[in-house]
Amino acid sequence: MDCSPVKTAILGGWAKHKLNSTPDPSVCVVALQVAMESAALNFVNTTLNWVTLALDAPAARAVVFGVHIGGHLFVEVLLLVVILFLLSQKSYKPPKRPLTKKEIDELCDEWVPESLTPPITEEMQSEPPVLESAAGPHAIVNGKEVVNFASANYLGFIGHEKLRDSCTFALEKYGVGSCGPRGFYGTIDVHLDCEAKIANFLGTTDSILYSYGLSTMFSAIPCFCKKGDIIVVDEGVHWGIQNGLYLSRSTIVYFKHNDMESLEKTLEKITAKNQRAKKLRRYIVVEAVYQNSGQIAPLDKIIKLKEKYRFRVLLDESNSIGVLGHSGRGLTEYCRVPIEKIDIVTASMGHALATEGGFCTGSARVIDHQRLSSSGYVFSASLPPYLASAAITAIDVLEQNPDLTSKLKENIAILWKGLSDVQGLSIASNPESPIVFLRLEKSTGSVKGDLQLLEDLANRALKEASVFVVVSKRSTVDKCPLPVGIRMFVSAAHSECDLLKACSSLKKVAGVVLKDHICA
Amino acid sequence: MIAIPYLTALTTHFSYGLLFVFGHVRDFFRKLMFFTNDNLQGYAPICLGAEDFYIRRLYLRIQDCFGRPIASAPDVWFDVVERYSNDNNKTLKRTGNISRCLNLGSYNYLGFGGADEYCTPRAIESLKRFSPSTCSSRVDGGTTLLHNELEECVARFVRKPAAIVFGMGYVTNSAILPVLIGKGGLIVSDSLNHNSAINGARGSGAIIRVFQHNSPDHLEEVLREQIAEGQPRTHRPWKKILVIVEGIYSMEGDFCKLPDIIAICKKYKAYIYLDEAHSIGAVGKTGRGVCELLGVDTADVDIMMGTFSKSFGSCGGYIAGSKELIQYLKYTCPAHLYATSISPPAAQQIISSIKVILGENGSNRGVEKLSQIRENSNFFRSELIKMGFEVLGDSDSPIMPIMLYNPAKIPAFSRECLKKNVAVVMVAFPATPLLLARARMCISASHTKEDLIKALEVISQVGDLVGIKYLLGEADKQQQERMKLE
């Protein structure tokens, strides 16, 4: 504004000069333009001066907080208002158009679901052999008497008179079912007696009874393992444990089947990664005798690793109760480990104890917690009382006849000797395990092919030689990667000639069936 | 629907608030005074503190109302073992004393619990023949003649082409759902479904959506929305949709609106899974469950599931469906392949009780039992409503829950009834929502009229004492209106 008079002067001088120098019409126009510009400039200047004065007047020479308020503040305030206005405008979003009723109707009509089950193939239609008598060491299948290696009747309690008598007494007193869950008058005194007996037998403080063997593990695990906990588990565990692990939503890490080095490496890796152990619970889950392979877990090594890396151990003793240890108390007695070191022991009673159901045992805190949080215990009807009394009687008989376990060991040894030279099959289980697992020496390449061959073998053994053996089957939801094979459950009630007959028959049948396979 | 009175809601909230405050104060002192020694150095505690707050501070106070042991068969009159506690209800010890009480708690709908004149001798016979267990799974060496007969019998009873039987009802749900549906599938389940169905649904890996209890309209809304949207994030179409409903809901006592739900499932091509744990054998003219009661053709229901521990006095569960379905399940269901088969005497008990219900044993005990349970349920329910109790459930349903609401009334009602020799069942959190605690009665066909009248007397007295006759005003009004009309 202060330079405007100068500008006017310069322009005026220039115009005069032009006008004076060349009396040109264009120059005249230019001179007129300049004159107009100068007039406009003058006008603008006067207006601005007037505005400034007007603005300065009220706040003229005012000092607010040591800041002079000048007219430029007006411009800044205007800019601020413009910015705020722009910010408050909604950003451009393409308009949302929800699907109309008609469109949803069309989509629903178009959608085609898969069929409920996949088409039935031939292998799905095979029927298992039907027993016509009790599943003892000799059973009647399809009218013929066979030597039975398909029942996990390790101590030979099937058909035992004492069990039969106590069951009859319980059936007459209590009927069959218990008509209610444990919390609602389904607790019968035999249940409490059975729990006390099991705890006494194994040397723990308390135990809890479940009404089904399979549900024991998959109810116990989600009770203690929640999201965020870490579980290290053997890759060959059975489906019940796998399901329990999946339901618990914890982080699951598998280690190689029964391989202690792999376990150690895994534990090392996990503890190196996770330093905060205060709120994180860490578990190792193993089975005593693996149902899928017959191996026995080396408990003493596991305990050493557990104490070194501060993990808790969950042990499934379904196939080792009544079998391992000189008085049948299971893997802890066999490996000479005090049972207090194992945090949670579960077992299914459908094997050596020849009843149904399962139990879990451990410290009092562990058991009390399960009584309210274990879904398979709280939300399900309790075990029928006659089965609980059968379990009590079975443990009584085992305590009174400790030689049953040694008889079983002898039988296993005889079978091992006899089967060690079968062509095409090799024994993959531990020499002391009651499940003798025979695997193909050379696999056909696919699980299906293996299964086909082994099924053939088992069927022939049943028809021609009257020896009942079974092939391990896998469900489609089972994630176990171990190979399939023939399973033979040895019982203390098998006589020596039963076992020798089985060995010779298997050798013969295997020779026939696997002849082409071995040469191939 | 349960409409909780305003004043009651206020007092219930207040009571729970008080209990929680006391609980937290005690926890605080506990932390100060002791350090629990049962978690060793370097290990995290096996039960974290917050998880069992409810158990330690609320449940333990009233622990004697639950888990009462009995010393006889779960018949209509049974012996309840008395217990005492020295340490303020933390541990309960049995005494030798028993008191003979009227049983309103066991699931004994047709009276087959306990020794029965037809069923028990046959069960003992099969025990002698087959021994208590087969120690083997069904595919190995665990299938006996009894098992095949049982499956045929069940399929015939339920009116489906084929059936498969398992040793435990809970495992039936948990092991079947993962096989039928997997990742990429959708499960739509009623909001009040049983824990076993929820567990099975979780174990399957499918996405789960819940619809409002017994509301076919909301089910339709959910189905439309889900089919239109597809799988979350990828929006691929669903592989299959399974709707899970129950026949009778055990905490409410009401029937499922089956005809409407089936119509909707047909329209949207979803499969329906009906869990008849409580209704099979107990409702329907010939005891065949809700399908018979509501007039639904069994061919419309894709998968029917049920248990044997309630009306048949045994244990176990079954699935009934088309032949292909059952064959597929026999091939791949883990409970069939790995778990021990159902105990032979239990199987025989089921066969015998089905024969009695259908009248195939030559007597009409079955027909008598079925009409008796219907009469008993309707009589009991109408009397309770007359007295002013807030009873839930539909007519013809043998389950009647009576609302209590306040947490203090739960032990009061239970203990007072036990003193007068009536055994009832209390249901509280977590089986029901926190504020809606209730007492649940299960009527049996073996209850005689005198038993029911005695029970009603005792419940009325205790109800007055405890103050749970919430609808007394209404009952009086209804009576006055009726008298005016007369």
Side-chain angles (χ1 to χ4, degrees):
Chain A
M1 268 139 287
D2 288 316
C3 53
S4 46
V6 177
K7 262 198 245 165
T8 336
I10 293 175
L11 278 170
W14 181 79
K16 270 199 207 112
H17 174 76
K18 273 285 162 182
L19 283 167
N20 288 341
S21 53
T22 43
D24 234 327
S26 56
V27 174
C28 285
V29 165
V30 166
L32 201 61
Q33 271 181 340
V34 167
M36 277 170 67
E37 277 173 22
S38 62
L41 266 170
N42 261 332
F43 178 70
V44 165
N45 277 334
T46 27
T47 333
L48 274 174
N49 279 333
W50 179 82
V51 162
T52 324
L53 215 61
L55 280 180
D56 267 345
R61 275 153 218 97
V63 177
V64 178
F65 302 124
V67 173
H68 277 271
I69 292 192
H72 62 90
L73 222 53
F74 166 74
V75 178
E76 282 146 18
V77 167
L78 190 67
L79 281 174
L80 206 63
V81 168
V82 168
I83 291 174
L84 284 173
F85 174 71
L86 284 175
L87 277 177
S88 67
Q89 294 286 45
K90 275 197 229 165
S91 58
Y92 172 71
K93 271 192 212 136
K96 248 193 180 163
R97 300 186 311 143
L99 297 170
T100 62
K101 192 163 171 306
K102 190 155 156 300
E103 282 169 346
I104 298 184
D105 281 338
E106 277 173 13
L107 281 168
C108 294
D109 286 332
E110 277 172 15
W111 178 67
V112 177
E114 275 180 12
S115 74
L116 193 55
T117 54
I120 303 291
T121 61
E122 220 191 277
E123 63 200 5
M124 292 189 195
Q125 291 182 1
S126 63
E127 298 275 338
V130 178
L131 264 73
E132 291 162 19
S133 74
H138 293 264
I140 303 179
V141 175
N142 292 337
K144 240 177 14 159
E145 183 169 324
V146 300
V147 181
N148 183 10
F149 283 98
S151 301
N153 173 21
Y154 303 135
L155 298 173
F157 283 150
I158 291 186
H160 202 277
E161 319 87 48
K162 283 219 183 110
L163 254 83
R164 208 165 1 138
D165 290 336
S166 74
C167 283
T168 313
F169 177 69
L171 277 173
E172 281 167 354
K173 182 171 179 199
Y174 299 109
V176 174
S178 58
C179 294
R182 287 293 290 263
F184 301 153
Y185 304 106
T187 308
I188 306 187
D189 45 4
V190 283
H191 291 138
L192 301 171
D193 294 333
C194 187
E195 288 176 355
K197 183 115 205 156
I198 294 173
N200 199 5
F201 179 64
L202 291 176
T204 53
T205 32
D206 203 359
S207 68
I208 177 174
L209 268 184
Y210 284 89
S211 30
Y212 207 47
L214 193 66
S215 72
T216 313
M217 249 318 186
F218 80 62
S219 304
I221 295 182
C223 229
F224 297 106
C225 311
K226 299 276 181 343
K227 194 161 184 176
D229 296 334
I230 298 186
I231 310 185
V232 178
V233 61
D234 188 299
E235 62 182 8
V237 289
H238 64 83
W239 179 82
I241 300 183
Q242 289 173 21
N243 198 26
L245 295 172
Y246 182 74
L247 285 172
S248 69
R249 302 192 217 192
S250 318
T251 324
I252 302 171
V253 184
Y254 288 98
F255 68 90
K256 288 215 193 66
H257 181 55
N258 225 15
D259 185 351
M260 290 300 109
E261 284 170 14
S262 166
L263 174 61
E264 181 155 12
K265 267 192 234 146
T266 324
L267 292 175
E268 184 73 57
K269 214 170 31 172
I270 292 177
T271 35
K273 254 197 304 188
N274 267 313
Q275 296 306 328
R276 33 179 204 102
K278 289 294 168 189
K279 286 275 167 112
L280 207 65
R281 294 177 289 197
R282 300 180 292 192
Y283 295 93
I284 301 177
V285 179
V286 284
E287 279 180 55
V289 174
Y290 289 92
Q291 206 154 323
N292 285 327
S293 73
Q295 298 280 340
I296 298 186
L299 194 61
D300 39 1
K301 294 207 193 97
I302 295 179
I303 295 292
K304 280 207 198 75
L305 286 172
K306 159 204 147 127
E307 287 177 340
K308 182 169 164 200
Y309 292 98
R310 309 278 169 87
F311 274 62
R312 292 195 143 99
V313 173
L314 242 112
L315 184 64
D316 183 359
E317 291 223 53
S318 302
N319 289 308
S320 62
I321 286 279
V323 173
L324 297 178
H326 61 261
S327 66
R329 285 180 163 78
L331 190 64
T332 47
E333 195 180 26
Y334 178 72
C335 295
R336 276 176 270 274
V337 168
I339 197 160
E340 294 84 38
K341 297 226 168 159
I342 314 280
D343 299 274
I344 303 172
V345 175
T346 63
S348 152
M349 300 198 286
H351 301 271
L353 297 178
T355 71
E356 305 238 354
F359 65 85
C360 175
T361 180
S363 65
R365 185 114 163 83
V366 160
I367 301 303
D368 277 336
H369 188 242
Q370 281 182 58
R371 286 198 201 275
L372 271 182
S373 339
S374 171
S375 31
Y377 179 81
V378 172
F379 294 107
S380 159
S382 54
L383 186 66
Y386 74 96
L387 292 170
S389 65
I392 298 176
T393 321
I395 297 183
D396 274 335
V397 172
L398 177 59
E399 276 179 334
Q400 285 159 10
N401 307 6
D403 56 330
L404 283 169
T405 45
S406 35
K407 178 104 192 341
L408 178 61
K409 281 205 215 11
E410 279 172 27
N411 283 358
I412 301 175
I414 297 175
L415 200 65
W416 251 79
K417 216 168 62 156
L419 289 175
S420 46
D421 54 352
V422 175
Q423 278 181 322
L425 295 172
S426 63
I427 307 188
S429 58
N430 191 298
E432 307 228 23
S433 109
I435 306 179
V436 176
F437 202 82
L438 295 162
R439 224 177 353 152
L440 286 171
E441 263 171 7
K442 211 174 58 161
S443 158
T444 52
S446 73
V447 174
K448 242 190 188 170
D450 284 350
L451 266 176
Q452 195 77 343
L453 213 54
L454 292 167
E455 288 267 6
D456 207 14
L457 213 155
N459 282 338
R460 265 188 203 247
L462 181 61
K463 285 207 190 71
E464 295 168 11
S466 297
V467 171
F468 189 16
V469 294
V470 282
V471 181
S472 61
K473 317 255 184 339
R474 286 283 157 74
S475 161
T476 44
V477 292
D478 191 344
K479 294 199 281 262
C480 177
L482 299 181
V484 293
I486 291 193
R487 268 201 294 221
M488 299 177 64
F489 297 97
V490 186
S491 162
H494 279 133
S495 61
E496 197 172 331
C497 77
D498 286 334
L499 299 164
L500 293 171
K501 177 177 168 194
C503 295
S504 57
S505 324
L506 273 174
K507 273 192 241 192
K508 215 171 46 179
V509 175
V512 168
V513 172
L514 299 175
K515 189 174 51 174
D516 318 308
H517 178 66
I518 301 170
C519 299
Chain B
M1 294 309 293
I2 305 172
I4 178 171
Y6 190 59
L7 186 61
T8 320
L10 221 71
T11 48
T12 314
H13 275 289
F14 176 71
S15 319
Y16 273 112
L18 199 66
L19 284 167
F20 277 122
V21 161
F22 266 95
H24 278 297
V25 165
R26 286 176 75 174
D27 269 354
F28 175 69
F29 278 112
R30 177 171 173 247
K31 254 193 254 183
L32 281 186
M33 307 244 262
F34 320 93
F35 291 109
T36 40
N37 287 343
D38 50 30
N39 60 318
L40 316 161
Q41 292 292 39
Y43 290 84
I46 199 163
C47 314
L48 298 176
E51 271 170 18
D52 51 352
F53 173 78
Y54 177 78
I55 297 173
R56 271 181 295 119
R57 297 300 168 213
L58 271 71
Y59 176 79
L60 278 185
R61 287 167 182 265
I62 56 173
Q63 205 194 140
D64 61 311
C65 303
F66 301 98
R68 290 191 181 137
I70 63 178
S72 73
D75 213 347
V76 170
W77 285 90
F78 63 175
D79 300 326
V80 176
V81 175
E82 286 173 15
R83 297 185 290 178
Y84 70 95
S85 171
N86 287 336
D87 52 357
N88 208 18
N89 254 3
K90 263 212 206 130
T91 53
L92 293 158
K93 296 199 205 354
R94 287 187 274 171
T95 63
N97 303 335
I98 53 179
S99 53
R100 193 132 187 96
C101 298
L102 180 64
N103 185 358
L104 287 177
S106 294
Y107 301 137
N108 184 16
Y109 300 133
L110 290 180
F112 282 115
D116 184 81
E117 55 188 8
Y118 181 79
C119 303
T120 311
R122 284 172 178 70
I124 295 182
E125 225 180 87
S126 70
L127 171 77
K128 294 202 172 87
R129 189 173 169 200
F130 289 108
S131 83
S133 165
T134 57
C135 289
S136 171
S137 65
R138 283 291 298 277
V139 282
D140 289 343
T143 306
T144 61
L145 293 168
L146 268 182
H147 291 100
N148 286 344
E149 192 188 333
L150 174 62
E151 290 183 348
E152 266 171 62
C153 207
V154 168
R156 204 163 31 99
F157 183 64
V158 176
R159 290 200 180 124
K160 275 286 205 184
I164 180 175
V165 173
F166 302 99
M168 181 183 176
Y170 189 93
V171 163
T172 313
N173 269 337
S174 310
I176 289 290
L177 287 168
V179 165
L180 284 178
I181 193 168
K183 261 205 161 82
L186 174 70
I187 294 182
V188 185
S189 94
D190 190 292
S191 59
L192 294 179
N193 265 342
H194 190 250
N195 186 280
S196 57
I198 297 177
N199 244 352
R202 282 209 197 120
S204 69
I207 305 284
I208 307 175
R209 292 277 175 263
V210 170
F211 71 94
Q212 278 168 15
H213 174 59
N214 234 357
S215 151
D217 297 325
H218 193 237
L219 171 65
E220 183 162 10
E221 221 181 278
V222 170
L223 278 175
R224 283 171 70 84
E225 197 191 310
Q226 290 301 320
I227 297 179
E229 264 195 38
Q231 295 186 30
R233 290 178 63 232
T234 55
H235 295 291
R236 289 200 194 109
W238 296 104
K239 291 210 178 123
K240 46 181 118 149
I241 299 186
L242 190 66
V243 176
I244 306 182
V245 287
E246 284 188 27
I248 298 186
Y249 290 93
S250 53
M251 294 299 155
E252 316 287 313
D254 58 349
F255 297 116
C256 151
K257 294 197 177 113
L258 203 54
D260 298 328
I261 292 184
I262 289 192
I264 293 178
C265 288
K266 275 204 173 137
K267 185 169 160 205
Y268 293 97
K269 296 173 261 184
Y271 299 112
I272 184 156
Y273 182 100
L274 179 62
D275 178 344
E276 290 213 75
H278 286 265
S279 53
I280 189 76
V283 293
K285 203 153 114 331
T286 54
R288 288 181 154 100
V290 274
C291 290
E292 193 178 18
L293 186 74
L294 301 174
V296 171
D297 187 9
T298 52
D300 288 335
V301 181
D302 301 293
I303 309 157
M304 293 175 71
M305 177 260 175
T307 61
F308 300 119
S309 46
K310 307 192 169 81
S311 313
F312 301 95
S314 175
C315 65
Y318 70 87
I319 298 258
S322 63
K323 275 204 162 55
E324 292 84 32
L325 173 70
I326 300 299
Q327 226 157 26
Y328 180 66
L329 287 177
K330 282 192 175 167
Y331 175 66
T332 171
C333 175
H336 194 248
L337 296 179
Y338 302 132
T340 327
S341 55
I342 184 173
S343 167
Q348 180 62 46
Q349 162 84 12
I350 304 167
I351 298 175
S352 319
S353 55
I354 291 184
K355 287 209 173 106
V356 171
I357 294 175
L358 292 177
E360 287 171 8
N361 66 327
S363 73
N364 60 344
R365 276 176 74 208
V367 173
E368 274 173 24
K369 278 184 196 275
L370 286 165
S371 68
Q372 186 72 24
I373 188 176
R374 208 174 17 246
E375 257 179 57
N376 284 356
S377 324
N378 290 338
F379 170 68
F380 204 73
R381 180 171 266 116
S382 58
E383 288 297 313
L384 282 178
I385 293 179
K386 260 192 244 163
M387 284 192 228
F389 288 102
E390 188 173 345
V391 183
L392 308 175
D394 301 333
S395 67
D396 275 357
S397 145
I399 302 179
M400 20 212 108
I402 299 181
M403 296 308 297
L404 294 173
Y405 302 116
N406 282 32
K409 296 189 182 173
I410 304 172
F413 192 79
S414 177
R415 288 171 192 156
E416 289 300 315
C417 279
L418 191 64
K419 277 194 209 146
K420 300 189 162 63
N421 287 352
V422 169
V424 292
V425 158
M426 299 291 129
V427 192
F429 186 79
T432 59
L434 187 65
L435 301 177
L436 304 175
R438 61 201 74 174
R440 189 182 67 173
M441 326 258 158
C442 295
I443 301 297
S444 157
S446 309
H447 279 126
T448 59
K449 205 63 177 271
E450 294 83 36
D451 294 333
L452 291 180
I453 293 178
K454 170 172 187 323
L456 285 166
E457 264 174 42
V458 167
I459 294 176
S460 182
Q461 280 170 13
V462 177
D464 279 328
L465 194 66
V466 170
I468 50 175
K469 291 189 175 170
Y470 296 113
L471 303 178
L472 193 56
E474 285 191 29
D476 276 345
K477 261 189 256 162
Q478 279 181 9
Q479 242 187 345
Q480 282 173 3
E481 278 173 25
R482 237 178 286 132
M483 281 168 53
K484 268 196 222 153
L485 286 172
E486 285 162 19

